[in-house]
Amino acid sequence: MPNSFLRNAFTSYRPFLMGLGLVVLALAAFAPAFSGPEIWDDKDWLTNAYGLYAAPNALWRIWTDPGSVQQYYPVTTTSFWLDYLLWGAGRTAPLHVENAFLHGLSAVGFWIFLSRLGLRHGWFAAALFAVHPMMAESVAWITERKNVLCTLFGILALFGHGSAVGWWASKGKGTLWMHGLAFGAFSLAMLSKVGAVTLIGVVLVLSWWRTGSLEWRRHVLPLFPWLAVSIPLILITGRLETDMVLKGDITSSLPWLDRIVLAGQLPGIYLTKLIWPSDLRVFYPKWALDAGVWWHWAGLAGIAMLFALCFRSNKRGALALMLIFLGTLFPLLGIFAVNGFKYAWLADRWCYVPAMAVFAAAGWALDWVPLRAIRVFAVTTTLLILTALCRQRSALYADVDVFWQDAISRHDAPWKAHNDYGSQLMDMHSHAEAVRQFRKALEVKPDYAGCYVNLANALEAMGLREDALRHLEKALELQPEHNSIIHYNKAIVLERLGRTEEALSAYSRAHELKPDFTAAWNDRGNLLLLNRRYEEALQCFRHILEVEPFNAKARTSVGNVHFFQSQHAPALEAFKQAIANEPELVSALTNCAWIMSTSGDGALRDGPEALRLARKAAKLTMFDDPSILQVLAAAYAESGDFEAAVEVSKQGQLLAQRQGKTGLAESIRASEAEFAQERPYRSQ
């Protein structure tokens, strides 16, 4: 009786337990990455975007401003915004766990989908997807949240469309609701990553496989809304991608025959690594392409032979899997200009979705194993080995140095590995080591202007400004066009060398070449402000606000222009608008609190509000900025708490002295003397 009860209970809950098993497998495979920090360009979605996420209108800007973050993938960006609201800034562990969990849900959806299509061993195929080490780059790297979300919504779209057109029934429901579900899920997939457009081809192939033909009204016409939402998103993304591709991207200069050769070679390489996942890398080396060498066409010839074999033997299922594998890979086979092709022909993350066709084929092939015991052994052994390998790959993402040391450890490591490692070292203020990595990158690719710019930035950070200027001039020689960023960096170096007029000229050249280059407008405005050229500075900041009306830093700069001219009322209004756009912008909080605490105009002072803003600014800077402590002390005094004002002033003086800011320490001491006599500080 107990055994019968347990058997019945297991049978009843078996689907749930099998699905749970896939999620647990995914979490176990990627657990080593959970403690990992921001790596590579994670900062573009996280640290550099926290100002956006903190703004009250963040959601509006995410969905309406394609340039608000690195790429216009608003569903992906919204997920990071929600993470910011839930976990705050700087916490990456929850994001890693979410990626792995979403990947596990996709594996569950993949299994159920294959089961609905009649594949007996769909769970094994889904488990391969859950733990294969080639999936690590998409799951363990926070930036690739877009890949994971796109796939999850793509599977939901396939469910909806399959139910509507009858992939697993003699007749589809064909309901508007099911078509609406499919279209909604597809739209979310496209808004997560535009690579989801290949789903249209997948749907057509599956419809042909299930029915043996394609009917216009039943199979093709329902996909027109999918096309309608795809085209504008592809154009937007293409425009943003083109801006990068134009900066010396080698793909644009590849002869068409070489592109076709590459498109024939890549599927075989991906397939080989999926079957035997050895020598996986963050950066794969590029190889020379030569359409004039006959054996370079072997990959394309092999693909043609496989197609011919499937047609001849009437293996429609095998042909469908081949078409899905090649179709989902097609945008990344070299025919189109892809920014990543500047440094590599292939990447593990580009195989995330195409791999599912290979895993489905593996599940189908399991039927050929005659004995159940052998099947169980093969499945168990394979999953254990792949999980161990996946954990090994995931562990790379747990430590910045381990990740980059692995990337550059091979003798044939591409220039991109050294260049990007140098950029991350710059973020970590390891400037000398960054210089070494940039020089290594230039040894491999001496004609890359961007690396000269990076090297110049590292040298400038070390105080070697003349050397930095020399490398920027070299970059301009190598890239005479599309070089606004080089002129911008040159302006920064010239400014720090004290060559003001030359710096202003370089800033002007930068925004002449790129009129919406807000950083160049901002830094030029700040330089003009330092030189008391207030009207010219104001024009720069107002230009930024014409391009980006919600730019809180530009709004703060407008306030600074007014403040330096003792125009406290318009300055205060500008600072308040900046805080409304970016509530955690420290400079706006501090400046606003200072005017509210010290202005000679009593109508502008507000002690309690000044204290709230100053406390917030101090907390955001970990009470480690003596100038902000000076503002906090003034706010206490304006609120009538002179004892706290004196205490905070003393802390500020000690901190300023430790940091070598003797002038600031004297200024704080002078205001402390006022507070000691219970007099609030008044600015002129």
Side-chain angles (χ1 to χ4, degrees):
M1 182 72 174
N3 289 339
S4 175
F5 173 78
L6 290 174
R7 194 160 45 245
N8 290 336
F10 177 77
T11 302
S12 300
Y13 289 101
R14 185 180 180 186
F16 170 77
L17 293 174
M18 292 177 73
L20 181 63
L22 289 171
V23 175
V24 170
L25 273 176
L27 291 171
F30 297 101
F34 291 173
S35 61
E38 294 179 14
I39 282 180
W40 207 349
D41 59 353
D42 284 344
K43 65 180 183 295
D44 293 324
W45 294 95
L46 302 178
T47 299
N48 293 351
Y50 286 149
L52 168 67
Y53 301 153
N57 60 346
L59 202 56
W60 171 259
R61 290 171 60 189
I62 286 168
W63 284 83
T64 60
D65 180 6
S68 60
V69 288
Q70 187 187 52
Q71 292 168 303
Y72 184 64
Y73 296 152
V75 168
T76 301
T77 312
T78 299
S79 75
F80 288 130
W81 170 69
L82 290 171
D83 284 327
Y84 175 81
L85 296 182
L86 287 170
W87 317 114
R91 296 189 63 190
T92 55
L95 280 67
H96 281 295
V97 175
E98 288 165 10
N99 270 21
F101 181 71
L102 291 168
H103 176 66
L105 290 182
S106 291
V108 173
F110 185 40
W111 162 54
I112 298 172
F113 181 73
L114 292 177
S115 299
R116 295 295 297 272
L117 291 176
L119 186 69
R120 285 185 58 211
H121 302 295
W123 190 90
F124 175 56
L128 290 175
F129 175 67
V131 302
H132 198 284
M134 280 192 79
M135 306 299 103
E137 190 167 280
S138 290
V139 183
W141 183 14
I142 294 172
T143 289
E144 287 304 309
R145 168 77 60 85
K146 54 196 173 188
N147 236 5
V148 180
L149 281 173
C150 172
T151 302
L152 181 59
F153 289 125
I155 292 170
L156 290 175
L158 292 177
F159 270 112
H161 189 82
S163 298
V165 301
W167 285 348
W168 36 74
S170 58
K171 185 178 180 181
K173 295 180 180 179
T175 63
L176 185 62
W177 187 87
M178 295 306 293
H179 280 300
L181 171 65
F183 173 71
F186 174 76
S187 298
L188 290 172
M190 285 293 298
L191 291 164
S192 300
K193 184 179 180 180
V194 293
V197 70
T198 58
L199 274 174
I200 296 174
V202 172
V203 164
L204 291 172
V205 170
L206 288 174
S207 293
W208 166 77
W209 171 56
R210 297 299 283 176
T211 63
S213 63
L214 286 176
E215 300 174 20
W216 173 258
R217 289 178 62 87
R218 182 182 174 191
H219 298 132
V220 180
L221 197 60
L223 297 178
F224 271 60
W226 295 30
L227 277 172
V229 77
S230 299
I231 292 171
L233 290 172
I234 290 171
L235 290 175
I236 291 171
T237 303
R239 176 64 183 273
L240 295 173
E241 193 82 352
T242 299
D243 287 342
M244 291 186 283
V245 171
L246 284 173
K247 295 179 180 179
D249 194 310
I250 193 169
T251 308
S252 59
S253 61
L254 272 179
W256 271 102
L257 283 178
D258 284 351
R259 296 188 191 198
I260 295 170
V261 165
L262 181 62
Q265 293 174 350
L266 287 175
I269 296 171
Y270 279 119
L271 182 61
T272 302
K273 289 192 173 293
L274 286 167
I275 295 171
W276 190 262
S278 64
D279 195 28
L280 301 184
R281 304 189 185 193
V282 176
F283 297 98
Y284 290 96
K286 293 177 74 169
W287 57 90
L289 300 170
D290 190 348
V293 178
W294 69 267
W295 55 267
H296 279 213
W297 294 87
L300 203 62
I303 292 171
M305 289 174 61
L306 282 174
F307 269 114
L309 183 64
C310 290
F311 270 116
R312 187 179 180 87
S313 57
N314 198 28
K315 298 291 186 182
R316 204 165 70 210
L319 187 58
L321 287 174
M322 281 185 62
L323 286 170
I324 291 171
F325 178 64
L326 293 173
T328 50
L329 263 180
F330 184 72
L332 298 164
L333 290 181
I335 302 300
F336 303 108
V338 177
N339 187 54
F341 285 158
K342 283 193 293 189
Y343 53 87
W345 299 134
L346 70 157
D348 288 356
R349 62 188 180 278
W350 295 342
C351 198
Y352 185 70
V353 172
M356 299 172 90
V358 178
F359 299 147
W364 172 56
L366 200 60
D367 263 338
W368 298 350
V369 180
L371 298 177
R372 184 175 183 275
I374 297 176
R375 285 201 300 270
V376 170
F377 176 78
V379 167
T380 305
T381 304
T382 301
L383 293 181
L384 285 173
I385 292 172
L386 290 178
T387 301
L389 291 173
C390 190
R391 287 178 60 86
Q392 188 178 52
R393 290 299 299 170
S394 299
L396 296 178
Y397 295 82
D399 184 271
V400 171
D401 282 325
V402 170
F403 176 86
W404 287 110
Q405 288 298 326
D406 179 80
I408 66 173
S409 60
R410 278 83 164 183
H411 73 280
D412 56 355
W415 62 269
K416 178 72 171 174
H418 294 289
N419 181 72
D420 286 14
Y421 185 23
S423 295
Q424 185 122 35
L425 287 165
M426 286 288 289
D427 292 339
M428 298 162 63
H429 305 290
S430 299
H431 302 128
E433 180 59 23
V435 167
R436 195 167 75 88
Q437 293 302 324
F438 292 139
R439 293 193 189 280
K440 284 191 173 184
L442 287 169
E443 289 174 11
V444 180
K445 192 172 177 62
D447 61 343
Y448 182 51
C451 198
Y452 279 101
V453 174
N454 292 336
L455 176 57
N457 289 339
L459 291 168
E460 197 284 325
M462 296 172 67
L464 303 173
R465 293 182 179 125
E466 293 293 349
D467 287 346
L469 198 58
R470 190 178 73 253
H471 285 93
L472 289 167
E473 295 291 355
K474 178 66 175 177
L476 286 170
E477 289 177 21
L478 291 170
Q479 192 171 312
E481 298 179 356
H482 309 293
N483 54 18
S484 58
I485 189 69
I486 305 175
H487 285 286
Y488 171 67
N489 282 276
K490 181 181 176 181
I492 292 173
V493 175
L494 288 167
E495 180 181 346
R496 290 172 183 171
L497 284 169
R499 293 155 65 173
T500 300
E501 292 304 319
E502 291 177 78
L504 289 171
S505 177
Y507 282 131
S508 295
R509 182 60 180 153
H511 55 64
E512 280 172 15
L513 292 167
K514 189 179 180 184
D516 61 347
F517 196 166
T518 55
W521 284 104
N522 182 74
D523 287 3
R524 185 173 188 272
N526 284 330
L527 181 55
L528 290 165
L529 179 60
L530 287 173
N531 285 272
R532 300 184 180 183
R533 292 160 64 172
Y534 298 122
E535 286 305 315
E536 293 176 79
L538 203 55
Q539 288 175 13
C540 291
F541 301 133
R542 284 175 175 164
H543 182 87
I544 296 172
L545 292 170
E546 289 175 9
V547 178
E548 298 178 5
F550 301 109
N551 190 312
K553 292 182 175 64
R555 191 71 66 183
T556 301
S557 296
V558 169
N560 290 337
V561 173
H562 289 301
F563 181 79
F564 281 115
Q565 296 180 87
S566 299
Q567 299 169 355
H568 289 178
L572 185 61
E573 182 60 29
F575 295 142
K576 286 181 177 179
Q577 289 178 21
I579 294 169
N581 290 330
E582 192 172 327
E584 294 187 355
L585 183 59
V586 171
S587 57
L589 292 167
T590 306
N591 295 348
C592 196
W594 181 254
I595 292 176
M596 288 181 170
S597 302
T598 67
S599 176
D601 185 347
L604 301 180
R605 294 198 302 272
D606 184 342
E609 179 63 8
L611 189 57
R612 184 186 72 82
L613 296 175
R615 280 173 172 166
K616 186 174 183 179
K619 186 176 180 181
L620 288 169
T621 54
M622 308 293 290
F623 292 87
D624 196 42
D625 187 327
S627 64
I628 293 176
L629 293 182
Q630 183 181 28
V631 175
L632 179 59
Y636 273 120
E638 179 61 26
S639 300
D641 191 346
F642 291 101
E643 184 177 343
V646 169
E647 180 61 30
V648 172
S649 293
K650 292 182 183 299
Q651 294 173 16
Q653 287 176 59
L654 290 173
L655 189 58
Q657 288 167 354
R658 277 204 304 270
Q659 295 178 0
K661 300 175 180 178
T662 54
L664 178 59
E666 287 300 321
S667 175
I668 297 173
R669 185 177 292 110
S671 58
E672 181 199 345
E674 296 290 313
F675 305 150
Q677 296 184 34
E678 297 192 354
R679 290 198 301 262
Y681 182 80
R682 292 289 175 261
S683 59
Q684 299 300 318

